[in-house]
Amino acid sequence: EIQLQESGPGLVKPSQSLSLTCSVTGYTITSGYDWSWIRKFPGNKMEWMGYISYSGSTNYNPSLKSRISITRDTSKNQFFLQLNSVTTEDTATYYCARDTTDYSFDYWGQGVMVTVSS
Amino acid sequence: DIQLTQSPSSMSASLGDRVSLTCQSSQGIGNYLSWYQHKPGKPPKPMIYYATNLADGVPSRFSGSRSGSDYSLTISSLESEDTAIYYCLQYDEYPWTFGGGTKLELK
């Protein structure tokens, strides 16, 4: 069974960096597909942030392009999100998900709530 | 970016009702539209992919349809477990974008 699990700090100070890990079990992230980060804001708006592909290429939402980085550790079957210079507007629940292109996002992590506050 | 407009933003219906939620795209996306059900404390659950295809494990009372740039998610007979926020997502053109969601409640 494919499972994804986010982890990381639940509180980040403004202007600092947000760093999250997505640990994947049941599927090797280098075998195929794209591996995305998605967030849901208070108020229910959802935003696709970007992905790292099975080959290691990345694609980011232009709204975040200057602040976001998605990387991976293939030895641990994990991928990571770094979002720089965060503000209170980045307070959200962050999800990692597998993007199959044809089937869209078919597996999701449980989500991790991140609050940006001093 | 492609804009998806969901309507209504919220609604209430009774058990057994037929419910239709709509999602309108600002430009052509073909059938590259999916629907997700989101309940508090859980991850979004895939319901429909490629506009009309039922995701694995989704009850047959759910269906998806398309008419031009208008997409619908229909529940043929509402059950209590269907209360949630429903989102559409277009995956035709980057950046992928979500609709604003429809909150479905029981009357």
Side-chain angles (χ1 to χ4, degrees), chain A residues 41-61:
Chain A
F41 298 98
N44 296 325
K45 177 186 171 183
M46 292 193 70
E47 179 180 59
W48 169 78
M49 301 179 72
Y51 72 70
I52 187 164
S53 76
Y54 69 96
S55 65
S57 62
T58 55
N59 186 11
Y60 302 133
N61 192 320

Side-chain angles (χ1 to χ4, degrees), chain A residues 34 38 40 44-48 51 59 61-62 95 99 101-110, chain B residues 1 32 34 36 38 41-46 49-50 85 87 89 91 94-100:
Chain A
D34 299 327
I38 297 152
K40 181 172 179 176
N44 296 325
K45 177 186 171 183
M46 292 193 70
E47 179 180 59
W48 169 78
Y51 72 70
N59 186 11
N61 192 320
Y95 297 94
D99 182 357
T101 303
D102 286 335
Y103 299 101
S104 190
F105 299 112
D106 60 350
Y107 289 95
W108 295 66
Q110 287 293 315
Chain B
D1 297 0
Y32 289 101
S34 54
Y36 297 86
H38 198 196
K42 294 189 175 182
K45 176 183 178 182
Y49 65 93
Y50 207 58
I85 300 176
Y87 293 93
L89 164 80
Y91 55 109
Y94 288 110
W96 297 164
T97 49
F98 289 87

Side-chain angles (χ1 to χ4, degrees), chain B residues 9-25:
Chain B
S9 57
S10 65
M11 66 175 295
S12 60
S14 301
L15 293 174
D17 281 354
R18 181 180 180 88
V19 172
S20 286
L21 315 179
T22 63
C23 176
Q24 183 176 61
S25 177

